[in-house]
Amino acid sequence: MTMPDGSYPMPTPRVRFDVINQAWAMLQQQMGTWVLVMVAYVVVAGLCQYILGKLPYAGALLSSIPSAILMAGVYKVALKHIRGEVIAVGDMFSIGDVIGPVIVASILTTIGTAIGLVFCVIPGVVLSALWLFTLLLIVDRGLDGVAAMRESLNALKGEWLMITIFMIVVALVGVAGVIACGVGVLITAPIAVLSIALLYRDFFPETGAGAPGDPYSAPPL
């Protein structure tokens, strides 16, 4: 079916698991830098969580914020890698312009997921999966926290079961490195991050290069 101008609409993206293989191939291109990125993440996030975790009452909630900020930076590194650019550890700290939205999203998703977990666990897991692209949307498109959560949910709700399974599989890949005395996570965690970022690009292509709603200029093969 063609659009009024004769072009073809963009096909609906689907959750696919071969992004994990793609992520592994990409990781090998700049593995050294990715290891350093993950070391920086683990050290800084761990230190922040240790300090904030000692605070009474809101400590648990606040301790998730530094991890979210750092993860937003890691996703920025992943998107840069996907564009074919050379990445650097410093890239993960160049997110000062989106810290506010990241904090808002972190608090809201943490509360929302926690509430969902109360109801037989499954709703919380599904909600977490539907919000999987939230940080990426903030970093990539500059959305505010609430808008990013809504956009992620709207994009993935039609694939809610597959994205939930995908999130679980990717999480298992990410933590598999713990088996190797914890060191292996420096390799498996980047695979998980790149897998999510690659899938995100399926649903949200580069602006001006087939963004959602943009028609193809040529008919499908």
Side-chain angles (χ1 to χ4, degrees):
M1 181 178 179
T2 60
M3 302 289 284
D5 61 357
S7 59
Y8 287 79
M10 187 174 185
T12 302
R14 300 292 185 210
V15 173
R16 58 189 180 94
F17 291 81
D18 62 335
V19 292
I20 298 174
N21 292 330
Q22 289 180 252
W24 167 238
M26 289 187 65
L27 175 62
Q28 295 176 72
Q29 299 168 0
Q30 303 190 60
M31 185 177 293
T33 304
W34 269 110
V35 169
L36 294 177
V37 167
M38 296 316 303
V39 168
Y41 174 87
V42 170
V43 171
V44 178
L47 181 61
C48 290
Q49 288 187 348
Y50 174 77
I51 295 173
L52 294 175
K54 291 183 174 296
L55 297 177
Y57 307 113
L61 178 61
L62 292 176
S63 64
S64 67
I65 294 176
S67 295
I69 293 173
L70 290 168
M71 183 52 65
V74 174
Y75 278 135
K76 184 171 185 177
V77 175
L79 291 173
K80 185 176 181 180
H81 191 165
I82 290 172
R83 289 195 298 269
E85 301 177 28
V86 176
I87 60 174
V89 177
D91 293 332
M92 70 180 290
F93 298 106
S94 59
I95 56 167
D97 57 330
V98 297
I99 287 181
V102 169
I103 291 175
V104 171
S106 173
I107 293 174
L108 293 179
T109 54
T110 298
I111 293 175
T113 301
I115 293 174
L117 290 173
V118 172
F119 295 96
C120 300
V121 178
I122 295 177
V125 175
V126 173
L127 271 177
S128 182
L130 292 175
W131 287 329
L132 191 61
F133 294 157
T134 298
L135 293 181
L136 282 155
L137 283 162
I138 293 173
V139 171
D140 185 44
R141 302 210 166 179
L143 300 184
D144 63 60
V146 175
M149 291 170 64
R150 182 172 58 248
E151 192 75 12
S152 179
L153 188 149
N154 287 337
L156 294 171
K157 62 185 179 182
E159 291 272 285
W160 69 269
L161 179 57
M162 294 305 295
I163 194 61
T164 300
I165 296 173
F166 174 84
M167 184 187 72
I168 293 172
V169 170
V170 168
L172 291 174
V173 170
V175 301
V178 176
I179 298 175
C181 300
V183 178
V185 76
L186 299 178
I187 302 298
T188 57
I191 295 175
V193 171
L194 283 166
S195 296
I196 295 170
L198 284 164
L199 186 64
Y200 165 80
R201 268 291 170 249
D202 284 356
F203 283 80
F204 298 95
E206 287 275 7
T207 303
D214 288 350
Y216 284 127
S217 59
L221 297 176

